[in-house]
Structure formats: structure tokens, C-alpha cells
Short mmCIF file of all heavy atoms in Angstrom, two decimals:
data_model
loop_
_atom_site.label_atom_id
_atom_site.label_comp_id
_atom_site.label_asym_id
_atom_site.label_seq_id
_atom_site.Cartn_x
_atom_site.Cartn_y
_atom_site.Cartn_z
N GLU A 1 13.97 4.80 5.27
CA GLU A 1 13.73 3.47 5.67
C GLU A 1 12.56 2.81 5.04
O GLU A 1 11.66 3.60 4.57
CB GLU A 1 13.54 3.36 7.19
CG GLU A 1 14.77 3.74 8.07
CD GLU A 1 14.50 3.54 9.51
OE1 GLU A 1 13.45 3.26 9.99
OE2 GLU A 1 15.54 3.64 10.29
N ARG A 2 12.55 1.56 4.86
CA ARG A 2 11.42 0.85 4.24
C ARG A 2 10.22 0.92 5.22
O ARG A 2 10.31 0.79 6.38
CB ARG A 2 11.79 -0.62 4.00
CG ARG A 2 10.68 -1.50 3.29
CD ARG A 2 11.15 -2.83 3.04
NE ARG A 2 11.55 -3.55 4.25
CZ ARG A 2 12.06 -4.74 4.30
NH1 ARG A 2 12.32 -5.42 3.30
NH2 ARG A 2 12.34 -5.31 5.53
N GLU A 3 9.02 1.18 4.69
CA GLU A 3 7.82 1.32 5.37
C GLU A 3 6.67 0.46 4.82
O GLU A 3 6.68 0.19 3.63
CB GLU A 3 7.34 2.75 5.44
CG GLU A 3 6.98 3.31 4.06
CD GLU A 3 6.30 4.75 4.11
OE1 GLU A 3 5.89 5.11 5.26
OE2 GLU A 3 6.25 5.43 3.09
N LEU A 4 5.87 0.00 5.71
CA LEU A 4 4.71 -0.83 5.30
C LEU A 4 3.62 0.15 4.71
O LEU A 4 3.23 1.00 5.31
CB LEU A 4 4.11 -1.60 6.45
CG LEU A 4 2.90 -2.35 6.30
CD1 LEU A 4 3.09 -3.47 5.24
CD2 LEU A 4 2.40 -2.94 7.59
N VAL A 5 3.19 -0.22 3.49
CA VAL A 5 2.18 0.60 2.83
C VAL A 5 0.80 -0.05 3.00
O VAL A 5 -0.23 0.72 3.46
CB VAL A 5 2.47 0.71 1.31
CG1 VAL A 5 1.42 1.53 0.62
CG2 VAL A 5 3.80 1.43 1.15
N ALA A 6 0.70 -1.27 2.73
CA ALA A 6 -0.60 -2.00 2.80
C ALA A 6 -0.35 -3.53 3.00
O ALA A 6 0.65 -4.00 2.48
CB ALA A 6 -1.42 -1.75 1.54
N ARG A 7 -1.26 -4.20 3.75
CA ARG A 7 -1.18 -5.52 3.98
C ARG A 7 -2.53 -6.21 4.04
O ARG A 7 -3.52 -5.57 4.58
CB ARG A 7 -0.47 -5.87 5.26
CG ARG A 7 -0.21 -7.26 5.68
CD ARG A 7 0.91 -7.39 6.72
NE ARG A 7 0.53 -6.69 7.89
CZ ARG A 7 1.43 -6.28 8.91
NH1 ARG A 7 2.66 -6.63 8.72
NH2 ARG A 7 1.03 -5.69 9.97
N ILE A 8 -2.63 -7.37 3.54
CA ILE A 8 -3.97 -8.03 3.45
C ILE A 8 -3.83 -9.40 4.13
O ILE A 8 -2.89 -10.13 3.97
CB ILE A 8 -4.41 -8.11 2.05
CG1 ILE A 8 -5.82 -8.73 1.94
CG2 ILE A 8 -3.50 -9.08 1.15
CD1 ILE A 8 -6.47 -8.62 0.62
N GLY A 9 -4.94 -9.79 4.91
CA GLY A 9 -4.92 -10.93 5.69
C GLY A 9 -5.06 -12.21 4.74
O GLY A 9 -5.39 -12.11 3.58
N SER A 10 -4.98 -13.42 5.36
CA SER A 10 -5.07 -14.64 4.59
C SER A 10 -6.41 -14.86 3.97
O SER A 10 -6.50 -15.49 2.89
CB SER A 10 -4.81 -15.88 5.52
OG SER A 10 -5.67 -15.92 6.55
N GLY A 11 -7.48 -14.37 4.50
CA GLY A 11 -8.87 -14.52 3.97
C GLY A 11 -9.24 -13.67 2.92
O GLY A 11 -10.21 -13.82 2.15
N GLY A 12 -8.48 -12.50 2.76
CA GLY A 12 -8.72 -11.54 1.71
C GLY A 12 -9.84 -10.57 2.10
O GLY A 12 -10.23 -9.71 1.26
N GLY A 13 -10.43 -10.64 3.26
CA GLY A 13 -11.49 -9.77 3.60
C GLY A 13 -10.98 -8.33 4.02
O GLY A 13 -9.92 -8.18 4.51
N SER A 14 -11.82 -7.42 3.65
CA SER A 14 -11.39 -5.98 3.91
C SER A 14 -11.19 -5.71 5.35
O SER A 14 -10.43 -4.80 5.72
CB SER A 14 -12.51 -5.08 3.35
OG SER A 14 -13.72 -5.14 3.95
N SER A 15 -11.83 -6.44 6.31
CA SER A 15 -11.70 -6.22 7.71
C SER A 15 -10.32 -6.47 8.29
O SER A 15 -9.94 -5.95 9.34
CB SER A 15 -12.73 -6.91 8.49
OG SER A 15 -12.53 -8.33 8.35
N THR A 16 -9.55 -7.27 7.54
CA THR A 16 -8.20 -7.67 8.01
C THR A 16 -7.18 -6.82 7.31
O THR A 16 -5.89 -7.07 7.55
CB THR A 16 -7.95 -9.11 7.71
OG1 THR A 16 -8.04 -9.43 6.32
CG2 THR A 16 -9.02 -9.98 8.42
N ASN A 17 -7.53 -5.89 6.50
CA ASN A 17 -6.51 -5.09 5.74
C ASN A 17 -5.91 -4.03 6.54
O ASN A 17 -6.55 -3.50 7.54
CB ASN A 17 -7.14 -4.47 4.51
CG ASN A 17 -7.57 -5.48 3.40
OD1 ASN A 17 -7.22 -6.75 3.58
ND2 ASN A 17 -8.26 -4.97 2.38
N TYR A 18 -4.66 -3.65 6.21
CA TYR A 18 -4.01 -2.55 6.96
C TYR A 18 -3.52 -1.56 5.88
O TYR A 18 -2.99 -1.95 4.80
CB TYR A 18 -2.83 -3.02 7.76
CG TYR A 18 -1.90 -1.83 8.24
CD1 TYR A 18 -2.13 -1.18 9.33
CD2 TYR A 18 -0.75 -1.51 7.38
CE1 TYR A 18 -1.37 -0.07 9.69
CE2 TYR A 18 0.03 -0.39 7.82
CZ TYR A 18 -0.32 0.27 8.93
OH TYR A 18 0.51 1.31 9.27
N TYR A 19 -3.60 -0.25 6.13
CA TYR A 19 -3.13 0.76 5.25
C TYR A 19 -2.40 1.86 6.04
O TYR A 19 -2.88 2.21 7.16
CB TYR A 19 -4.29 1.47 4.47
CG TYR A 19 -4.95 0.53 3.52
CD1 TYR A 19 -6.14 -0.04 3.81
CD2 TYR A 19 -4.40 0.35 2.19
CE1 TYR A 19 -6.81 -0.89 2.93
CE2 TYR A 19 -5.08 -0.49 1.35
CZ TYR A 19 -6.25 -1.09 1.68
OH TYR A 19 -6.94 -1.89 0.75
N ALA A 20 -1.27 2.27 5.51
CA ALA A 20 -0.63 3.39 6.19
C ALA A 20 -1.51 4.65 6.12
O ALA A 20 -2.27 4.82 5.12
CB ALA A 20 0.69 3.64 5.55
N VAL A 21 -1.44 5.49 7.08
CA VAL A 21 -2.23 6.63 7.15
C VAL A 21 -2.14 7.51 5.85
O VAL A 21 -3.04 8.15 5.36
CB VAL A 21 -1.92 7.51 8.42
CG1 VAL A 21 -2.71 8.87 8.33
CG2 VAL A 21 -2.30 6.69 9.68
N SER A 22 -0.93 7.52 5.36
CA SER A 22 -0.61 8.44 4.23
C SER A 22 -1.22 7.95 2.88
O SER A 22 -1.40 8.69 2.03
CB SER A 22 0.86 8.51 4.06
OG SER A 22 1.46 7.19 3.80
N VAL A 23 -1.71 6.70 2.86
CA VAL A 23 -2.28 6.16 1.65
C VAL A 23 -3.72 5.70 1.86
O VAL A 23 -4.40 5.38 0.76
CB VAL A 23 -1.44 4.98 1.10
CG1 VAL A 23 0.01 5.31 0.91
CG2 VAL A 23 -1.61 3.75 1.98
N LYS A 24 -4.17 5.74 3.03
CA LYS A 24 -5.69 5.30 3.27
C LYS A 24 -6.56 6.16 2.54
O LYS A 24 -6.51 7.40 2.49
CB LYS A 24 -5.84 5.43 4.77
CG LYS A 24 -7.20 4.79 5.23
CD LYS A 24 -7.43 4.76 6.70
CE LYS A 24 -6.41 3.89 7.41
NZ LYS A 24 -6.60 3.76 8.87
N GLY A 25 -7.60 5.52 1.82
CA GLY A 25 -8.54 6.13 1.10
C GLY A 25 -8.06 6.29 -0.39
O GLY A 25 -8.90 6.65 -1.32
N ARG A 26 -6.83 6.11 -0.71
CA ARG A 26 -6.28 6.17 -2.06
C ARG A 26 -5.77 4.91 -2.64
O ARG A 26 -5.91 4.66 -3.88
CB ARG A 26 -5.19 7.25 -2.07
CG ARG A 26 -5.50 8.64 -1.69
CD ARG A 26 -4.38 9.64 -1.95
NE ARG A 26 -3.15 9.28 -1.17
CZ ARG A 26 -1.95 8.96 -1.70
NH1 ARG A 26 -1.75 8.87 -2.98
NH2 ARG A 26 -0.95 8.68 -0.83
#
């Protein structure tokens, strides 16, 4: 199935970003 890898908020700030556990830090 399709999975979410990373997402960024409208402001572009790092505090609003999301990363899947499998890719976080990379």
C-alpha cells in the first residue's frame, strides 16, 4: 500500500514537518 514518507506544512518550518519512523534522520 501507499505510505506517507514526509510532509511539510504551509509555512515551511521544521516544527510542522512529519517523517515516517523508517526515514526519520535520513
Side-chain angles (χ1 to χ4, degrees):
E1 296 183 349
R2 183 177 61 185
E3 65 172 341
L4 174 62
V5 177
R7 184 163 57 198
I8 187 169
S10 60
S14 61
S15 63
T16 62
N17 294 353
Y18 167 85
Y19 295 97
V21 174
S22 60
V23 307
K24 187 174 296 184
R26 299 188 297 119

